[in-house]
Structure formats: structure tokens, C-alpha cells
Amino acid sequence: GAAIVKLAMAEGGPPQALVDKDHAMAERDFAAFGMSFDHYGRTSAPIHHETSREWFRTLDEKGAFILKSGLQPYDPEAELFLADRFIVGTCPRCKHPNAYGDQCEKCGASLSPSELIEPRSTLTDAALEWRETTHWYLPLGKYQPEIERWIETKAHWKPNVLGQIKSWLSAGLGDRAMTRDLPWGVPVPEDVAERAGVDPKGKV
């Protein structure tokens, strides 16, 4: 969702127009290769929204999420809360000047936007503001022992893949946001938001 919003803004049109164009282009390319599908789906289709919302509702009913309010990065010029990939700044570890809000592409460090030095928006180059918002999170740390045991059974995986995963595990798994403040995506189910007493503006 974040990547689509970013590209649509760069092209000066709505996200729906962008995905419609790309979907039709991919469909033509597949046909040119003689490929066809019983069902050629897309994430903007109603069935995808319905299925995603049902999964989200089921996980919420099972108590899989935690709800947290906090300050999140906001672009005052674009008037948008920003996902991690909408943010760049200087890496606090290797000093690379264009590290993303979730990871430094130079040294591989896992980051959060608050760790970056002089973070700014990739949409407008504006300095970030921090505003309060509420989201659903998956507490990955709760499942870390189980994940570690499972990863130990994957000795056949590529060393670089295992190395990256083990670096995340060594740093400790945190809470992972399952929703975002974006104008594009699958809306949080209204009944879930109502139970939580939260404005259902977020996207799954």
C-alpha cells in the first residue's frame, strides 16, 4: 500500500488509476506470453478486501493483537502519516545519508524512523513532525522462542538469509504494526475499531 501511494503521488494521480493501469499492462504481457489464469486476481478486488478483513477480525477476536497509541512520523506538507519506507535520514550506525525508516541499505541495520538522524519525508523532503495515532500491533517478541526453534530447522536456507534473520532475532523482535494511516489499502473492520474505541481510519 505504501509503495502504491508513493508512486501515485509522484505520477500526480489517484492510487486506483495506477493499479488499474498496471493490472491491465500485466494482463496484456501474460497474454503475449501465451499465459492465462482461471482467476487473475488483484489486491484491490472486493474479495481480497473481504478476506483480509475477515482474517484481521478473526485474529483480533483471538487476542492476537495489542492496541497502542503513540507518536508517529507525519509529513505536514503532504498531510500524511508516513510508513517507514516514506522516510529517509542518516543511519545512526554507519552514517549513510539515505537510510530508510526501517532499514539501512548500506550496513543492513534494522531501524525505526526515530533512530534516524535528521529524518525527512521522501514525498516532499519535509522535516518530520511527530503526531499521536493508534494502531494494532502483532507482539512478535511473544513468539520469538517458537520462531527461533523453527529457524533452527532451516539449515538448508541460504547463509545470507539465515544471517539476516538471526541478526533480527539477536536484536530482539518487537511489536510489528498491522495497520497504517494511509489513504489506500484495506480498511480496518468497523466492528473491530468500534470495539476498541478507535477511529477506523487506519488500513490493514
Side-chain angles (χ1 to χ4, degrees):
I4 290 169
V5 171
K6 183 177 178 181
L7 185 56
M9 291 182 73
E11 293 188 0
Q16 187 66 55
L18 174 67
V19 298
D20 287 347
K21 179 187 71 173
D22 286 353
H23 184 81
M25 186 188 314
E27 193 170 28
R28 287 194 303 270
D29 289 345
F30 282 128
F33 280 106
M35 299 171 66
S36 62
F37 301 87
D38 294 327
H39 173 70
Y40 184 50
R42 53 193 298 183
T43 57
S44 58
I47 187 64
H48 177 81
H49 281 224
E50 292 165 16
T51 304
S52 298
R53 285 158 59 88
E54 191 56 40
W55 271 100
F56 191 87
R57 183 180 291 109
T58 299
L59 288 169
D60 182 71
E61 289 171 351
K62 291 184 176 183
F65 301 134
I66 57 175
L67 200 64
K68 293 198 300 186
S69 296
L71 298 177
Q72 295 290 330
Y74 185 83
D75 181 334
E77 293 185 20
E79 298 183 335
L80 284 174
F81 282 98
L82 300 177
D84 297 343
R85 282 275 157 164
F86 282 130
I87 301 165
V88 292
T90 299
C91 176
R93 302 184 191 177
C94 73
K95 308 307 179 190
H96 177 55
N98 288 303
Y100 285 106
D102 60 347
Q103 181 177 322
C104 177
E105 299 291 321
K106 184 174 182 182
C107 71
S110 294
L111 301 169
S112 67
S114 61
E115 294 178 278
L116 293 176
I117 301 166
E118 298 183 349
R120 62 192 187 278
S121 168
T122 62
L123 300 177
T124 64
D125 207 39
L128 299 187
E129 292 182 0
W130 295 85
R131 299 191 182 184
E132 186 164 317
T133 187
T134 301
H135 286 286
W136 285 259
Y137 290 78
L138 186 64
L140 288 176
K142 175 181 176 181
Y143 306 106
Q144 181 159 340
E146 184 179 348
I147 293 170
E148 288 177 336
R149 287 193 297 272
W150 185 75
I151 290 297
E152 290 302 321
T153 69
K154 305 302 173 187
H156 60 286
W157 285 10
K158 291 182 179 180
N160 63 314
V161 173
L162 285 172
Q164 179 68 71
I165 293 170
K166 288 179 179 179
S167 74
W168 293 334
L169 293 171
S170 295
L173 299 180
D175 300 333
R176 182 71 177 179
M178 294 290 103
T179 57
R180 289 280 191 265
D181 289 303
L182 282 173
W184 175 257
V186 179
V188 170
E190 293 83 357
D191 56 320
V192 174
E194 185 177 344
R195 265 198 314 273
V198 175
D199 179 357
K201 66 182 183 308
K203 299 294 191 292
V204 174

